[in-house]
Amino acid sequence: MPLIGQIHRCLVSNSATQQFDVFAADPELKALSHISCIQRSCYLVDEQVGMVILNLETRSFSKFSALRDAGKGVKEIATYLAGDVVYIYTLIPAEGKVLRYQRVGDGLSKPDVWNKDAGFGPNVSDIWVDGSIYEMSNEGSLRKFYTGNVDPINSFGGLGLAMLPLRGDLQLAMTPPRDPAPGVINRLYVTDPTNERIVVFDRDLDPQKKLRFLGSYKFRGSDRINFSDLREIDLSSDEKYLYGLSNNIVFRFAVTSL
């Protein structure tokens, strides 16, 4: 369901009734559908207004008449910080492309098409950006793109065996890649709503150039929260918690070794 012109702040509660207050609002924004936040701003897609920026300090929205068509056909939005430069990516499955915007001052540049190789079509369920872009299909295949091109098959072989086939509206979350060290595991998380689990892989490639399967989380608590209706997942900045959105509830659980 699209957001309707306002961003809510959740007041965490263990009760069955969640409490919310309005964090920011704009009457012109009536078809908000996607959000990604980085530094002191959130970047949002409105199907009618286009790309807008929410300043988290002033709680005000910036809108750009030149980008009014930026919200059409968008399925996902992602942000990435390269040095001091913020990049914003939108996935347009109907056109098989990823558009990239750059933060320039208080506004955004005109977009360019990021991918050079074919991909990012209607069967793509999610993308994740860390300099490269990972493309997850709803059949459970994972491809890595770098500088717009598919990584050669001999350098990246996708996911390892995850016991049960992955399928459905799969969503991604990753830790940033770090140099191997004792106790350091670079992880990739994939929602698997069909099998009601979150599957975890080691981001460091195994001898077959694949991401090694580590295990999975299955929720066995309240019926109001389950893994069959996961819409988004994300990691906390300290990588201690994984956040999920399911049945209009935001929940979190501790990231543990598997």
Side-chain angles (χ1 to χ4, degrees):
M1 178 181 295
L3 307 171
I4 308 297
Q6 56 190 17
I7 306 299
H8 288 86
R9 176 176 58 195
C10 176
L11 304 179
V12 178
S13 172
N14 290 326
S15 67
T17 302
Q18 300 284 328
Q19 295 183 358
F20 296 88
D21 63 357
V22 175
F23 179 80
D26 187 308
E28 188 178 354
L29 302 176
K30 299 178 181 179
L32 291 172
S33 56
H34 300 284
I35 182 171
S36 183
C37 303
I38 192 169
Q39 292 187 314
R40 294 179 295 278
S41 299
C42 291
Y43 300 85
L44 300 99
V45 172
D46 186 288
E47 295 173 3
Q48 299 173 5
V49 177
M51 188 80 70
V52 300
I53 300 175
L54 169 61
N55 185 311
L56 294 175
E57 295 177 341
T58 64
R59 304 190 184 190
S60 60
F61 293 91
S62 298
K63 292 161 282 187
F64 310 98
S65 58
L67 299 176
R68 187 163 290 273
D69 292 333
K72 295 180 178 179
V74 172
K75 182 175 182 180
E76 296 287 346
I77 184 172
T79 50
Y80 179 67
L81 181 65
D84 295 327
V85 180
V86 174
Y87 292 101
I88 303 95
Y89 301 82
T90 57
L91 169 65
I92 318 290
E95 301 177 22
K97 64 186 181 183
V98 171
L99 295 182
R100 180 178 66 177
Y101 302 79
Q102 182 177 331
R103 179 72 183 259
V104 179
D106 293 330
L108 297 169
S109 68
K110 291 185 178 180
D112 56 33
V113 178
W114 182 84
N115 59 302
K116 301 170 186 175
D117 286 347
F120 303 102
N123 69 329
V124 173
S125 60
D126 200 10
I127 60 172
W128 187 270
V129 181
D130 66 358
S132 301
I133 292 186
Y134 291 82
E135 171 208 72
M136 172 65 75
S137 78
N138 52 26
E139 292 91 15
S141 63
L142 183 71
R143 294 199 299 171
K144 179 182 177 183
F145 286 71
Y146 181 68
T147 62
N149 301 107
V150 178
D151 250 19
I153 191 66
N154 61 354
S155 67
F156 180 71
L159 295 173
L161 181 65
M163 305 302 288
L164 294 172
L166 297 170
R167 59 187 184 276
D169 186 15
L170 308 175
Q171 299 291 305
L172 290 173
M174 299 186 187
T175 59
R178 299 160 295 191
D179 291 335
V184 172
I185 298 178
N186 300 307
R187 296 183 178 92
L188 178 149
Y189 300 83
V190 182
T191 67
D192 181 14
T194 300
N195 296 306
E196 298 186 349
R197 60 179 181 164
I198 296 176
V199 182
V200 187
F201 295 87
D202 186 343
R203 285 197 62 182
D204 298 317
L205 298 179
D206 66 14
Q208 285 73 46
K209 305 297 183 182
K210 293 186 177 183
L211 307 183
R212 181 171 59 92
F213 172 64
L214 295 175
S216 60
Y217 295 101
K218 290 184 70 72
F219 190 82
R220 296 183 175 86
S222 166
D223 290 338
R224 297 184 67 236
I225 302 174
N226 60 68
F227 288 169
S228 65
D229 192 36
L230 278 171
R231 291 292 177 261
E232 297 286 347
I233 55 172
D234 205 355
L235 287 165
S236 63
S237 58
D238 60 9
E239 301 172 21
K240 292 182 178 179
Y241 297 100
L242 192 70
Y243 293 88
L245 175 62
S246 175
N247 295 325
N248 295 318
I249 297 172
V250 176
F251 64 92
R252 76 173 190 180
F253 59 90
V255 173
T256 57
S257 298
L258 289 169

